[in-house]
Amino acid sequence: MSEVPRVPLLIDGQLVQSQTSEWRDVINPATQEVVARVPFATREELDRAVASAKAAFQTWRNSGQGTRMRVMLKLQELLRANTTKLAEMITREHGKTLPDAEGEVGRGLEVVEHACSIASLQLGEYAENAAGGIDVYTLIQPLGVCAGITAFNFPVMLPCFMFPIAVACGNTFVLKPSEQDPTSSLFLAQLALEAGLPPGVLNVVHGGPDIANAICDHTDIKAISFIGSTRVGTEIYRRASDAGKRCQAMMGAKNHCVILPDADPEVALNQLLGAAFGAAGQRCMAASVAVLVGEARNWLPDFVERAKKLKVNAGTDREADLGPLVSPQARKRVESLIQQGIEEGAKLLLDGRNPSIAGYEQGNFVGPTVFDGVTENMAVYKEEIFGPVLCVVGVDTLEEAVAFINRNPNGNGVALFTQDGGAARYFQNNIDVGQVGINIPIPVPVAWFSFTGSRGSKLGDLGPNGKQAVQFWTQTKTVTARWSAHGRTVNTTISMR
């Protein structure tokens, strides 16, 4: 039997083996095979990574925008060339299907492509003669050492939501990927070094809560981006904020998909299938609640029949619609919530527990599951299940649907299917959710627009991607200057925000 590989750290441009005594098995969720061992790095190793980033910042911050832009251009080329390899890593450690994993790499690539525009994104403003002989202008400057902490469900896309814009703006970065599927995140960072990032600009440390807390506490780290669960995100945001850092925390969700009776049922139901059950429901933008308005409730039996035909199998099967959950613990949690839904009175129309998957009997599989008659006091509605479970709620009007959704504490994503432009306009203006889809089931915006969850799904003013990301990873310095006719400085003041 071959030895299980140990996942290295990436510090100062070099892959190094951790000296920790604490290691965790990385499991293939379809087979329970141990495919790697990941270290829980020591505090000394984190300090080394931060020190490397701090030293690299002194030169990287002064590198030309063209230099940074060319690194991003090369990185997008390398991502394209290595999409298959990255997708295979994701599938082996996370479980999502290969087509889904390839799509994840594509969304990460989109962010890198956006970072290629840094020369126009990081522009200041200039006002000549704002007052007599006085010019005012702004400088958009990097912060210093920044960090990112990511969840398991998108091990390539989520790091791409963080470090490409951050380093393109002139910062240096320490990434802590999920310990459940770290290999693809590490390989992504290696590609960034191959693209031309100098040693120390991007470092990778692995670990659990102790390392995450140490990142929040570290005095040399200036800003932190987190994407993951509400419980962890709330603690990271509090801890980082208490330490005086900038922090953005994109957290949990309970996303709704509203279907009006005037919608095209073929389009709406097929789109809902993918949104509810794709990636086995393990995405923060999954449509986990269907709100059927009026006669659209009559389409539910048809939807259930379509859900029964979805194929559950290992992610390496390109015909599979959904693969396994990431861990046995995740499967047990989802199954427990399904049972709780039954006990609380929801009507189970399709039970995805204990599917028979030939050759993968030990896998963490749960098939498509559908509840009808769900109310807002039930656990299956209140909890983010993070599995292929759809809760169905019936209402009589669009206004009722909007009021129902706005009572939910989360505000990550929402969708509406309709052919009525007036209804769509009412919906987008009155719904209190950050990201709205109109005939789009998972409304994650393109990378040059910001990710804008709201309410209980987000802490911090600025989100990843788009203009908000540039604002988050930079500080604005305002210069007010007066010069004499012969070039002697008479008065200059500087303010920062």
Side-chain angles (χ1 to χ4, degrees):
M1 179 182 294
S2 60
E3 185 177 354
V4 175
R6 293 193 168 199
V7 181
L9 311 173
L10 179 60
I11 299 176
D12 202 31
Q14 300 294 320
L15 296 176
V16 296
Q17 287 296 330
S18 174
Q19 298 305 303
T20 185
S21 60
E22 186 177 0
W23 294 78
R24 175 174 177 155
D25 291 341
V26 180
I27 306 293
N28 182 327
T31 64
Q32 303 308 311
E33 173 194 5
V34 178
V35 296
R37 301 199 75 211
V38 63
F40 278 29
T42 66
R43 177 58 190 262
E44 186 273 336
E45 288 166 338
L46 172 63
D47 289 343
R48 283 173 51 202
V50 174
S52 173
K54 185 177 181 180
F57 177 67
Q58 301 309 314
T59 52
W60 182 246
R61 66 172 301 179
N62 294 316
S63 60
Q65 287 182 328
T67 298
R68 288 178 257 139
M69 181 177 65
R70 285 188 287 274
V71 172
M72 292 298 111
L73 285 166
K74 183 62 176 179
L75 178 55
Q76 64 86 25
E77 177 188 339
L78 291 172
L79 277 174
R80 291 181 189 278
N82 288 276
T83 293
T84 298
K85 184 174 182 178
L86 282 163
E88 289 171 350
M89 291 178 176
I90 294 168
T91 296
R92 182 172 63 249
E93 296 181 356
H94 174 278
K96 67 177 63 174
T97 66
L98 281 171
D100 200 356
E102 289 163 354
E104 174 186 342
V105 177
R107 292 312 299 263
L109 173 63
E110 190 178 87
V111 185
V112 176
E113 290 172 336
H114 179 54
C116 294
S117 302
I118 195 62
S120 59
L121 296 173
Q122 202 175 356
L123 292 177
E125 300 173 309
Y126 192 101
E128 185 179 20
N129 285 322
I134 295 176
D135 304 329
V136 180
Y137 52 96
T138 58
L139 309 175
I140 311 301
Q141 297 184 325
L143 298 171
V145 180
C146 301
I149 301 169
T150 64
F152 72 87
N153 55 333
F154 288 96
V156 168
M157 187 186 78
L158 296 186
C160 284
F161 274 25
M162 299 176 182
F163 79 79
I165 292 291
V167 300
C169 286
N171 299 289
T172 55
F173 207 86
V174 176
L175 174 68
K176 193 209 85 66
S178 170
E179 65 275 18
Q180 292 184 273
D181 47 6
T183 303
S184 57
S185 302
L186 178 64
F187 184 60
L188 171 66
Q190 290 176 265
L191 292 179
L193 265 64
E194 184 180 344
L197 285 184
V201 172
L202 176 60
N203 304 270
V204 180
V205 294
H206 307 290
D210 287 347
I211 282 294
N213 290 338
I215 288 172
C216 293
D217 297 340
H218 205 293
T219 55
D220 287 329
I221 292 176
K222 305 303 181 184
I224 297 174
S225 178
F226 169 82
I227 303 178
S229 72
T230 297
R231 179 185 61 80
V232 177
T234 301
E235 172 58 22
I236 283 177
Y237 186 84
R238 181 198 62 78
R239 192 162 187 146
S241 298
D242 287 349
K245 306 182 192 309
R246 288 190 186 184
C247 187
Q248 58 179 204
M250 312 305 293
M251 306 185 299
K254 199 68 176 181
N255 306 311
H256 300 72
C257 180
V258 180
I259 300 179
L260 297 185
D262 73 329
D264 183 329
E266 188 71 19
V267 172
L269 296 183
N270 282 336
Q271 292 288 305
L272 179 59
L273 281 176
F277 305 129
Q282 297 175 114
R283 43 191 182 196
C284 67
M285 291 295 292
S288 55
V289 183
V291 183
L292 305 183
V293 180
E295 294 180 0
R297 283 176 282 189
N298 297 330
W299 304 346
L300 183 54
D302 183 11
F303 177 81
V304 172
E305 290 305 311
R306 294 173 190 234
K308 288 179 181 178
K309 297 176 183 178
L310 295 179
K311 184 176 182 181
V312 183
N313 202 357
T316 51
D317 178 3
R318 286 192 169 271
E319 301 300 316
D321 296 293
L322 60 159
L325 297 173
V326 70
S327 68
Q329 294 78 12
R331 176 179 56 81
K332 290 177 182 176
R333 180 179 180 276
V334 170
E335 291 175 341
S336 174
L337 282 165
I338 293 172
Q339 183 59 38
Q340 193 169 352
I342 296 170
E343 293 170 358
E344 291 181 345
K347 185 177 181 181
L348 187 61
L349 302 183
L350 181 61
D351 189 349
R353 292 173 294 180
N354 302 313
S356 177
I357 313 296
Y360 297 97
E361 289 78 10
Q362 301 304 311
N364 310 318
F365 294 98
V366 176
T369 299
V370 181
F371 277 111
D372 190 18
V374 174
T375 62
E376 53 194 307
N377 63 331
M378 293 179 178
V380 288
Y381 179 75
K382 293 190 293 183
E383 296 284 334
E384 184 178 19
I385 299 176
F386 233 61
V389 180
L390 179 69
C391 298
V392 179
V393 175
V395 297
D396 293 328
T397 66
L398 175 60
E399 290 76 11
E400 287 181 63
V402 169
F404 178 81
I405 295 167
N406 285 347
R407 288 196 298 271
N408 190 284
N410 296 296
N412 205 35
V414 68
L416 172 72
F417 281 86
T418 182
Q419 298 186 66
D420 184 336
R425 185 174 178 81
Y426 172 86
F427 185 78
Q428 71 184 29
N429 287 341
N430 289 279
I431 202 73
D432 188 10
V433 174
Q435 291 158 137
V436 181
I438 305 297
N439 298 316
I440 299 290
I442 300 182
V444 177
V446 291
W448 45 98
F449 282 78
S450 298
F451 196 91
T452 53
S454 61
R455 294 191 284 149
S457 295
K458 176 184 176 183
L459 289 172
D461 295 331
L462 301 171
N465 296 346
K467 293 179 181 178
Q468 290 188 17
V470 176
Q471 290 177 276
F472 180 76
W473 298 116
T474 60
Q475 60 185 345
T476 302
K477 181 181 292 182
T478 305
V479 181
T480 304
R482 178 192 291 141
W483 293 87
S484 71
H486 299 290
R488 182 172 58 85
T489 302
V490 176
N491 186 31
T492 300
T493 63
I494 297 178
S495 63
M496 297 181 66
R497 60 175 174 84

